[in-house]
Amino acid sequence: MEGKMEENICIKARLLIDGSGREPITNPVVIVKGDKIAEVGRESEIKIPEKAKMVDLGNLTILPGLTDAHVHISGDRSYSPAEEIITPHDLMVIRAVEDCQKLLKAGFTMVRDVGSSIALSLKRAIKEETIPGPCIFAAGRPISQTGGHSDIHYLPREEVIKRGALIADGPDDCRRAAREALRDGADLIKIMTSGGIGSEKDHPRYPQFTVNEVKAITEEAHRVERRVASHAEGAEGVKIAIAGGVDSIEHGFFLDEECVQMMLSHNVYFVPTLCLVEVYKKALERPYDMPPWRLKKQEECMEAMPKSFMMAYKAGVKIAAGTDYFGPPMRAHGDNADEAITMVKYGMKPMDAILAATRNAAECIGVENIVGTVEAGKLADIIGVEGNPLEDITVLKKVEFVMKEGKIHVDKRLTAV
Ligand SMILES: [Zn+2]
């Protein structure tokens, strides 16, 4: 790490894709002052401050720091349902610290953690500069109904209680659970309005919670200016969530036309976690330690996911990139650019995929005024990649330079002083 407060840094590169959706700029210059971007423009238009530290990134393309709008930094390394019982909590924490470093090295300067008991503390550790990592926007403990997606029902009941899962039934109880999450310091509230793949006894198509239960939670969250994200895979669960007032739909594997119309009319963000299709395909060849019920459900969702994604995209639904990676093989942190890459693979324009992982992800989280684009006044979260992601989106994985809040964390190239 380097860079004192208020020192001017002048970054030059071959190309700038600023995350606003505008055409790329060739031979850009970005002036960073302290933790913020002071000026951005073509080399010919910008007056470089005297004594500015020069960082010439040569042929790299500059982008805003990437954002993953759906992660779980939980320290998992396995798909085994027993993992949480047989792995000491301290070990999970140490692995989670490693995951934070991997995320930052991969160019992710901001993530939204939608369920991990560790994330709220990781967020503080990163903020106080105890460990390096992305800025974390964390939900803490998600809220589920009894027998719902995060009432971890492959574990014995007493184990779930020990883990402090937020289980609520009925509107009043949901209100209490929301207040508990907020008491923990949640930046947003995560709820489950459908079954899922990683939960043994439910199914992605089954709805969970009622509209009134969801309303009680969104009311509490919105009173204190927090957003609510809902895990909703089946169409019914998506509709319950939106009717209940949530701000984003996570997964949406089985969307129908009505879901898409509701997302549009309620201005709800969609985080499709599409890269899971590729994970599910790979698992057919090599399932690692996935239990049979997980494998079966993965296979049942694979076909619908790209169709739902393209239906929402073509209709103009706002889409943010989120991986749902949580640490095990195929879903390891550091590979989070997989989501933008997969979106392009299934039909999204490269520029839209870049926006999904930058400005739109920031907007989905509600931090678009401070991050998400390379523009004057924003935090200096800037990355450099080898090549042009508009021509080859996979170069989002070739991150050579990472600056977070004005500090250089990764610089694989020689820089002229
Ligand atoms: Zn998730």
Side-chain angles (χ1 to χ4, degrees):
M1 285 192 259
E2 49 187 280
K4 287 179 228 83
M5 285 302 284
E6 300 310 308
E7 182 190 32
N8 284 309
I9 299 177
C10 170
I11 305 170
K12 292 183 183 184
R14 174 85 193 86
L15 202 67
L16 165 69
I17 299 170
D18 70 4
S20 71
R22 283 190 289 266
E23 283 297 302
I25 295 176
T26 47
N27 299 323
V29 167
V30 181
I31 309 290
V32 173
K33 190 168 187 181
D35 61 354
K36 292 207 175 64
I37 296 166
E39 259 189 291
V40 186
R42 282 178 212 284
E43 198 173 352
S44 54
E45 302 160 351
I46 300 281
K47 191 177 173 293
I48 295 167
E50 276 174 51
K51 290 187 193 163
K53 177 186 167 172
M54 300 300 289
V55 176
D56 191 344
L57 297 178
N59 281 325
L60 298 193
T61 299
I62 302 178
L63 295 146
L66 301 173
T67 294
D68 188 330
H70 189 127
V71 297
H72 303 274
I73 312 178
S74 47
D76 282 285
R77 292 292 182 266
S78 153
Y79 292 96
S80 163
E83 162 98 344
E84 287 161 75
I85 294 183
I86 61 175
T87 312
H89 183 258
D90 298 359
L91 180 56
M92 303 288 267
V93 173
I94 294 165
R95 291 168 175 173
V97 168
E98 186 198 32
D99 286 344
C100 290
Q101 293 166 349
K102 284 185 187 166
L103 277 157
L104 190 58
K105 276 187 189 158
F108 285 79
T109 49
M110 163 79 69
V111 298
R112 185 178 63 157
D113 187 300
V114 286
S116 150
S117 58
I118 307 172
L120 285 165
S121 293
L122 289 171
K123 171 203 169 123
R124 283 177 62 178
I126 291 166
K127 213 169 185 181
E128 69 189 22
E129 297 186 10
T130 300
I131 59 165
C135 177
I136 301 178
F137 203 83
R141 297 182 287 167
I143 306 173
S144 173
Q145 67 172 49
T146 295
H149 181 57
S150 59
D151 177 3
I152 328 165
H153 34 79
Y154 48 76
L155 295 182
R157 183 99 207 190
E158 59 272 22
E159 287 296 332
V160 181
I161 293 167
K162 227 193 276 174
R163 276 163 178 74
L166 281 176
I167 309 300
D169 298 286
D172 288 349
D173 203 23
C174 284
R175 198 175 288 280
R176 176 203 52 81
R179 289 172 180 169
E180 265 195 54
L182 294 168
R183 186 192 182 280
D184 289 345
D187 297 313
L188 77 149
I189 290 182
K190 170 76 179 303
I191 63 169
M192 310 294 183
T193 57
S194 85
I197 284 171
S199 41
E200 182 187 9
K201 300 182 190 85
D202 57 21
H203 192 277
R205 286 187 182 277
Y206 298 165
Q208 296 180 355
F209 276 142
T210 61
V211 172
N212 283 337
E213 286 174 316
V214 175
K215 271 186 181 162
I217 295 168
T218 55
E219 231 176 76
E220 285 302 313
H222 293 163
R223 283 167 89 173
V224 292
E225 298 175 351
R226 301 296 203 284
R227 294 186 182 184
V228 179
S230 184
H231 161 106
E233 296 181 351
E236 190 61 27
V238 170
K239 290 169 198 172
I240 288 169
I242 299 176
V246 306
D247 305 283
S248 68
I249 293 295
E250 313 294 311
H251 313 304
F253 294 164
F254 298 97
L255 298 182
D256 60 20
E257 196 49 51
E258 196 187 347
C259 291
V260 171
Q261 286 313 315
M262 283 179 85
M263 284 191 208
L264 287 169
S265 61
H266 289 75
N267 207 22
V268 164
Y269 250 99
F270 180 34
V271 185
T273 62
L274 186 67
C275 58
L276 297 181
V277 175
E278 304 302 284
V279 173
Y280 300 165
K281 278 188 189 166
K282 280 187 227 160
L284 296 174
E285 304 291 320
R286 186 174 175 193
Y288 290 90
D289 52 0
M290 292 176 181
W293 45 264
R294 177 189 267 272
L295 284 164
K296 183 170 178 286
K297 287 195 276 186
Q298 287 182 174
E299 228 181 309
E300 286 165 8
C301 294
M302 270 168 35
E303 223 187 280
M305 291 161 69
K307 287 182 191 158
S308 293
F309 164 70
M310 281 309 285
M311 186 161 68
Y313 175 52
K314 283 183 185 159
V317 171
K318 296 188 293 185
I319 292 175
T323 56
D324 204 8
Y325 283 3
F326 64 106
M330 303 189 287
R331 288 170 77 170
H333 288 300
D335 286 330
N336 309 62
D338 284 348
E339 181 64 3
I341 293 167
T342 311
M343 284 171 161
V344 172
K345 179 176 175 182
Y346 286 97
M348 189 180 246
K349 286 183 192 147
M351 182 59 102
D352 290 337
I354 291 168
L355 292 180
T358 55
R359 184 196 66 190
N360 291 4
E363 201 178 281
C364 171
I365 297 172
V367 291
E368 71 276 14
N369 291 332
I370 47 170
V371 294
T373 58
V374 180
E375 289 175 305
K378 294 268 178 97
L379 281 178
D381 289 356
I382 296 164
I383 63 165
V385 301
E386 184 85 58
N388 181 352
L390 294 173
E391 287 161 9
D392 175 9
I393 193 73
T394 66
V395 305
L396 289 183
K397 281 194 153 181
K398 293 182 180 166
V399 174
E400 300 275 306
F401 175 85
V402 180
M403 171 182 272
K404 183 191 160 214
E405 294 169 23
K407 283 187 181 158
I408 298 168
H409 287 268
V410 177
D411 190 356
K412 295 185 183 168
R413 303 177 63 90
L414 289 174
T415 53
V417 179

